[in-house]
Amino acid sequence: MTVTSAWLSPDGQTRADTRANQIGALTPVTDIKGRSGVLPGSEGGVYRVTGLWLAGTTGTMSGTVGVGRAVVQSSIARGAYPVAVTAPVPLTFADGDALYGRIDLVVLRIYDDEVDGSGRSEAAVEIIRGTPSAIPSAPTLPDVSLLLFTVAVAANTSTGSGGIPWTTASTDLRPTTVPLGGILPTRSDDTATGGYPGHYRDITETLQRWSGSAWVPYPKGLGGIAPAGALTNGGYTGQYRDSSAGQLQRWNGTAWQPAVPGPVFAQSLDAGSTTSTTYTAALTDTAVTALTLNFTAPPSGSVIIGLGARVYTTSSETTTAHLSPQVALGTTVVWAADDERAASGSGAVSKSVSTQLRLNSLTAGSTYTVTAMHRSTSSTVTCWFDTIYLRVDPIA
């Protein structure tokens, strides 16, 4: 039969019928198969999962797998095998090889003579011994088995040599499973996809929802602000988070940016000069190659650019020193330096000059660079610029 019922029907209920009809018994993986795993829970709710824990005995090659419950999913026809371990299971690992280390598996394994011809019909906790090698790898997981732990057995390891160093040799790989609709508590390295859009899991203290293609942090569902440290990447454009520095940030689809861009500022206190009659970012007699400032265009696409300096023209009252901003998006100049947008001054006595300008039509969220550009109106007169500054303020 291809359609089975878990109820006692006139045509008889087989063991496979019962297993295949575990509706709601475990986290779905497909429309008919579920996720194999240990049922989570602990005394007092302190830990994510304590069932089927491997506890090694210090100084020996022995350990014990504790009590717990699990479900092992097989093929569609065979269904899912529910298992309960009601008493601790002792295990003894073989001594290490004389030359090489190996990796053993601790598994919960299903034997079903009706299907596999093994002559056994039971669940068992077993050790699957690995092959010693200079670079050991884990052996193949047997069919219809649930991997619980890996245990590294170094060369020459034995009870006489101090046994297995359990705190470093064993690796917990127990997956978890919960009833349909439950929130799945899982390990940080779990890469399994969700079973359906709206499926939830708890991972590294973050609640996530399966969108149909990715696990999305739960703040999306709330429209709330994700706490500091909860997100590396945003789940959707327009999501907000509190940064580790206490700054409110917005995910623009590729990067976190300040949610409310504030003013940005740059300055140079090292005086420099030029005789160039065309605008140049570079000045002589200074260690500052060019004074630049990056800013993110706000949602309005408009900013106020302020700039200024202390200027003087050597031995000339008629030559003018111009300081003007140049704005670029990447390598494209969107606002060239121009005398109409310059802070200007002349005279052999230094004086402070400044100006503020409004720049519109910027692409919101894009990063622009403003550069301080300088020129003299005479190629024979040296113009000096000191205490140069740039400031950009977003306009709401």
Side-chain angles (χ1 to χ4, degrees), residues 76-111:
I76 292 175
R78 291 180 65 175
Y81 293 81
V83 179
V85 177
T86 58
V89 179
L91 298 173
T92 299
F93 292 79
D95 290 347
D97 181 72
L99 294 178
Y100 300 118
R102 71 173 193 272
I103 297 175
D104 292 350
L105 307 181
V106 177
V107 304
L108 178 62
R109 186 173 183 179
I110 301 298
Y111 292 93

Short mmCIF file of all heavy atoms in Angstrom, two decimals, residues 76-111:
data_model
loop_
_atom_site.label_atom_id
_atom_site.label_comp_id
_atom_site.label_asym_id
_atom_site.label_seq_id
_atom_site.Cartn_x
_atom_site.Cartn_y
_atom_site.Cartn_z
N ILE A 76 11.06 7.23 3.20
CA ILE A 76 9.62 7.50 3.26
C ILE A 76 8.86 6.23 3.61
O ILE A 76 7.94 6.24 4.44
CB ILE A 76 9.13 8.08 1.92
CG1 ILE A 76 9.72 9.49 1.70
CG2 ILE A 76 7.60 8.13 1.88
CD1 ILE A 76 9.39 10.08 0.36
N ALA A 77 9.25 5.12 3.00
CA ALA A 77 8.54 3.87 3.23
C ALA A 77 8.73 3.36 4.65
O ALA A 77 7.80 2.83 5.26
CB ALA A 77 9.00 2.81 2.23
N ARG A 78 9.92 3.53 5.21
CA ARG A 78 10.21 3.00 6.55
C ARG A 78 9.71 3.92 7.65
O ARG A 78 9.40 3.48 8.75
CB ARG A 78 11.71 2.77 6.72
CG ARG A 78 12.24 1.64 5.88
CD ARG A 78 13.73 1.44 6.06
NE ARG A 78 14.09 1.03 7.41
CZ ARG A 78 15.32 0.70 7.78
NH1 ARG A 78 16.31 0.75 6.88
NH2 ARG A 78 15.58 0.33 9.02
N GLY A 79 9.68 5.24 7.38
CA GLY A 79 9.19 6.16 8.37
C GLY A 79 10.22 6.54 9.41
O GLY A 79 11.43 6.43 9.19
N ALA A 80 9.75 6.99 10.57
CA ALA A 80 10.61 7.50 11.63
C ALA A 80 10.56 6.57 12.84
O ALA A 80 9.49 6.10 13.22
CB ALA A 80 10.19 8.91 12.03
N TYR A 81 11.72 6.34 13.45
CA TYR A 81 11.82 5.44 14.60
C TYR A 81 11.97 6.27 15.88
O TYR A 81 13.00 6.91 16.08
CB TYR A 81 13.03 4.54 14.46
CG TYR A 81 12.95 3.54 13.32
CD1 TYR A 81 13.25 3.92 12.02
CD2 TYR A 81 12.59 2.22 13.56
CE1 TYR A 81 13.19 3.02 10.97
CE2 TYR A 81 12.53 1.29 12.52
CZ TYR A 81 12.83 1.70 11.23
OH TYR A 81 12.77 0.79 10.20
N PRO A 82 10.96 6.27 16.74
CA PRO A 82 11.12 6.93 18.04
C PRO A 82 11.91 6.02 18.98
O PRO A 82 11.70 4.80 18.99
CB PRO A 82 9.68 7.12 18.52
CG PRO A 82 8.91 6.04 17.82
CD PRO A 82 9.60 5.77 16.53
N VAL A 83 12.82 6.61 19.75
CA VAL A 83 13.69 5.83 20.63
C VAL A 83 13.73 6.48 22.00
O VAL A 83 13.78 7.72 22.11
CB VAL A 83 15.12 5.75 20.06
CG1 VAL A 83 16.03 4.96 21.00
CG2 VAL A 83 15.12 5.12 18.68
N ALA A 84 13.73 5.67 23.03
CA ALA A 84 13.93 6.16 24.40
C ALA A 84 15.04 5.34 25.04
O ALA A 84 14.99 4.11 25.02
CB ALA A 84 12.65 6.04 25.22
N VAL A 85 16.04 6.02 25.57
CA VAL A 85 17.10 5.36 26.34
C VAL A 85 16.77 5.61 27.80
O VAL A 85 16.85 6.75 28.28
CB VAL A 85 18.49 5.92 25.97
CG1 VAL A 85 19.57 5.27 26.84
CG2 VAL A 85 18.78 5.70 24.49
N THR A 86 16.39 4.57 28.50
CA THR A 86 15.86 4.72 29.86
C THR A 86 16.88 4.42 30.95
O THR A 86 16.60 4.61 32.13
CB THR A 86 14.64 3.80 30.05
OG1 THR A 86 15.03 2.44 29.79
CG2 THR A 86 13.53 4.20 29.08
N ALA A 87 18.06 3.94 30.56
CA ALA A 87 19.13 3.68 31.54
C ALA A 87 20.46 3.99 30.86
O ALA A 87 20.60 3.79 29.64
CB ALA A 87 19.11 2.23 32.03
N PRO A 88 21.46 4.51 31.59
CA PRO A 88 22.75 4.84 30.98
C PRO A 88 23.37 3.64 30.28
O PRO A 88 23.27 2.50 30.74
CB PRO A 88 23.59 5.30 32.17
CG PRO A 88 22.59 5.76 33.18
CD PRO A 88 21.41 4.86 33.03
N VAL A 89 24.02 3.90 29.13
CA VAL A 89 24.64 2.84 28.33
C VAL A 89 26.16 2.98 28.43
O VAL A 89 26.71 3.98 27.97
CB VAL A 89 24.20 2.93 26.87
CG1 VAL A 89 24.88 1.84 26.04
CG2 VAL A 89 22.69 2.84 26.75
N PRO A 90 26.86 1.99 29.01
CA PRO A 90 28.32 2.06 29.10
C PRO A 90 28.97 1.73 27.76
O PRO A 90 28.49 0.88 27.01
CB PRO A 90 28.66 1.00 30.15
CG PRO A 90 27.55 0.01 30.06
CD PRO A 90 26.32 0.79 29.69
N LEU A 91 30.06 2.42 27.45
CA LEU A 91 30.81 2.20 26.22
C LEU A 91 32.29 2.10 26.55
O LEU A 91 32.79 2.84 27.41
CB LEU A 91 30.59 3.35 25.22
CG LEU A 91 29.17 3.59 24.71
CD1 LEU A 91 29.14 4.87 23.88
CD2 LEU A 91 28.68 2.41 23.89
N THR A 92 33.00 1.24 25.84
CA THR A 92 34.45 1.13 26.01
C THR A 92 35.10 1.26 24.65
O THR A 92 34.79 0.52 23.71
CB THR A 92 34.84 -0.22 26.65
OG1 THR A 92 34.24 -0.32 27.94
CG2 THR A 92 36.35 -0.31 26.80
N PHE A 93 36.01 2.21 24.53
CA PHE A 93 36.70 2.47 23.26
C PHE A 93 37.97 1.63 23.18
O PHE A 93 38.66 1.41 24.19
CB PHE A 93 37.05 3.96 23.15
CG PHE A 93 35.84 4.84 23.00
CD1 PHE A 93 35.07 5.19 24.11
CD2 PHE A 93 35.47 5.31 21.76
CE1 PHE A 93 33.95 6.00 23.98
CE2 PHE A 93 34.35 6.13 21.62
CZ PHE A 93 33.59 6.46 22.73
N ALA A 94 38.28 1.17 21.99
CA ALA A 94 39.50 0.38 21.79
C ALA A 94 40.72 1.27 21.99
O ALA A 94 40.69 2.49 21.75
CB ALA A 94 39.50 -0.21 20.38
N ASP A 95 41.82 0.67 22.44
CA ASP A 95 43.06 1.42 22.62
C ASP A 95 43.51 2.04 21.31
O ASP A 95 43.17 1.57 20.21
CB ASP A 95 44.16 0.50 23.15
CG ASP A 95 43.91 0.07 24.59
OD1 ASP A 95 43.02 0.66 25.25
OD2 ASP A 95 44.59 -0.86 25.05
N GLY A 96 44.31 3.09 21.42
CA GLY A 96 44.81 3.78 20.24
C GLY A 96 45.82 2.94 19.48
O GLY A 96 46.50 2.08 20.05
N ASP A 97 45.94 3.20 18.18
CA ASP A 97 46.91 2.54 17.33
C ASP A 97 48.33 2.93 17.76
O ASP A 97 48.55 4.01 18.34
CB ASP A 97 46.66 2.95 15.88
CG ASP A 97 47.61 2.30 14.91
OD1 ASP A 97 47.47 1.09 14.66
OD2 ASP A 97 48.50 3.00 14.39
N ALA A 98 49.29 2.07 17.46
CA ALA A 98 50.67 2.35 17.86
C ALA A 98 51.27 3.54 17.12
O ALA A 98 52.15 4.23 17.66
CB ALA A 98 51.54 1.11 17.62
N LEU A 99 50.80 3.81 15.89
CA LEU A 99 51.40 4.88 15.09
C LEU A 99 50.48 6.08 14.88
O LEU A 99 50.95 7.23 14.92
CB LEU A 99 51.81 4.32 13.73
CG LEU A 99 52.92 3.28 13.71
CD1 LEU A 99 53.17 2.79 12.29
CD2 LEU A 99 54.20 3.85 14.31
N TYR A 100 49.21 5.84 14.63
CA TYR A 100 48.34 6.92 14.19
C TYR A 100 47.08 7.06 15.08
O TYR A 100 46.65 6.10 15.71
CB TYR A 100 47.88 6.68 12.75
CG TYR A 100 49.00 6.61 11.75
CD1 TYR A 100 49.21 5.46 11.01
CD2 TYR A 100 49.83 7.71 11.54
CE1 TYR A 100 50.23 5.39 10.08
CE2 TYR A 100 50.86 7.65 10.60
CZ TYR A 100 51.06 6.48 9.88
OH TYR A 100 52.07 6.43 8.97
N GLY A 101 46.53 8.24 15.06
CA GLY A 101 45.27 8.48 15.74
C GLY A 101 44.09 8.09 14.85
O GLY A 101 44.24 7.86 13.65
N ARG A 102 42.92 8.07 15.44
CA ARG A 102 41.71 7.77 14.68
C ARG A 102 40.56 8.57 15.28
O ARG A 102 40.67 9.16 16.35
CB ARG A 102 41.39 6.28 14.72
CG ARG A 102 40.92 5.77 16.06
CD ARG A 102 40.46 4.31 16.02
NE ARG A 102 39.74 3.94 17.22
CZ ARG A 102 40.29 3.48 18.33
NH1 ARG A 102 41.61 3.31 18.40
NH2 ARG A 102 39.53 3.19 19.38
N ILE A 103 39.44 8.58 14.56
CA ILE A 103 38.23 9.24 15.04
C ILE A 103 37.11 8.21 15.08
O ILE A 103 36.81 7.56 14.07
CB ILE A 103 37.83 10.41 14.13
CG1 ILE A 103 38.92 11.49 14.15
CG2 ILE A 103 36.49 11.01 14.57
CD1 ILE A 103 38.67 12.63 13.19
N ASP A 104 36.51 8.03 16.25
CA ASP A 104 35.39 7.12 16.42
C ASP A 104 34.08 7.91 16.48
O ASP A 104 34.07 9.09 16.87
CB ASP A 104 35.54 6.31 17.71
CG ASP A 104 36.69 5.31 17.65
OD1 ASP A 104 37.25 5.12 16.56
OD2 ASP A 104 37.04 4.75 18.71
N LEU A 105 33.00 7.26 16.11
CA LEU A 105 31.67 7.84 16.22
C LEU A 105 30.89 7.15 17.34
O LEU A 105 31.03 5.95 17.54
CB LEU A 105 30.87 7.66 14.92
CG LEU A 105 31.50 8.12 13.60
CD1 LEU A 105 30.51 7.86 12.47
CD2 LEU A 105 31.89 9.57 13.67
N VAL A 106 30.11 7.94 18.05
CA VAL A 106 29.12 7.38 18.98
C VAL A 106 27.76 7.66 18.36
O VAL A 106 27.41 8.83 18.11
CB VAL A 106 29.23 8.02 20.38
CG1 VAL A 106 28.14 7.47 21.30
CG2 VAL A 106 30.61 7.75 20.98
N VAL A 107 27.01 6.59 18.08
CA VAL A 107 25.77 6.74 17.32
C VAL A 107 24.61 6.03 18.02
O VAL A 107 24.80 5.10 18.81
CB VAL A 107 25.92 6.17 15.90
CG1 VAL A 107 27.07 6.82 15.17
CG2 VAL A 107 26.10 4.65 15.92
N LEU A 108 23.42 6.50 17.70
CA LEU A 108 22.18 5.79 18.03
C LEU A 108 21.73 5.12 16.75
O LEU A 108 21.40 5.80 15.76
CB LEU A 108 21.13 6.77 18.53
CG LEU A 108 19.76 6.18 18.87
CD1 LEU A 108 19.86 5.16 20.00
CD2 LEU A 108 18.78 7.29 19.25
N ARG A 109 21.75 3.79 16.73
CA ARG A 109 21.56 3.05 15.48
C ARG A 109 20.30 2.18 15.54
O ARG A 109 19.99 1.59 16.57
CB ARG A 109 22.78 2.17 15.22
CG ARG A 109 22.78 1.44 13.88
CD ARG A 109 24.11 0.76 13.68
NE ARG A 109 24.20 0.10 12.37
CZ ARG A 109 25.28 -0.55 11.94
NH1 ARG A 109 26.36 -0.60 12.71
NH2 ARG A 109 25.28 -1.13 10.74
N ILE A 110 19.61 2.15 14.40
CA ILE A 110 18.39 1.35 14.29
C ILE A 110 18.67 0.08 13.51
O ILE A 110 19.24 0.11 12.41
CB ILE A 110 17.28 2.15 13.58
CG1 ILE A 110 16.95 3.44 14.35
CG2 ILE A 110 16.03 1.28 13.40
CD1 ILE A 110 16.42 3.21 15.74
N TYR A 111 18.28 -1.04 14.09
CA TYR A 111 18.30 -2.33 13.39
C TYR A 111 16.85 -2.77 13.19
O TYR A 111 16.06 -2.77 14.13
CB TYR A 111 19.04 -3.39 14.21
CG TYR A 111 20.52 -3.14 14.35
CD1 TYR A 111 21.03 -2.43 15.45
CD2 TYR A 111 21.42 -3.62 13.40
CE1 TYR A 111 22.38 -2.21 15.58
CE2 TYR A 111 22.78 -3.41 13.53
CZ TYR A 111 23.26 -2.70 14.62
OH TYR A 111 24.61 -2.48 14.75
#
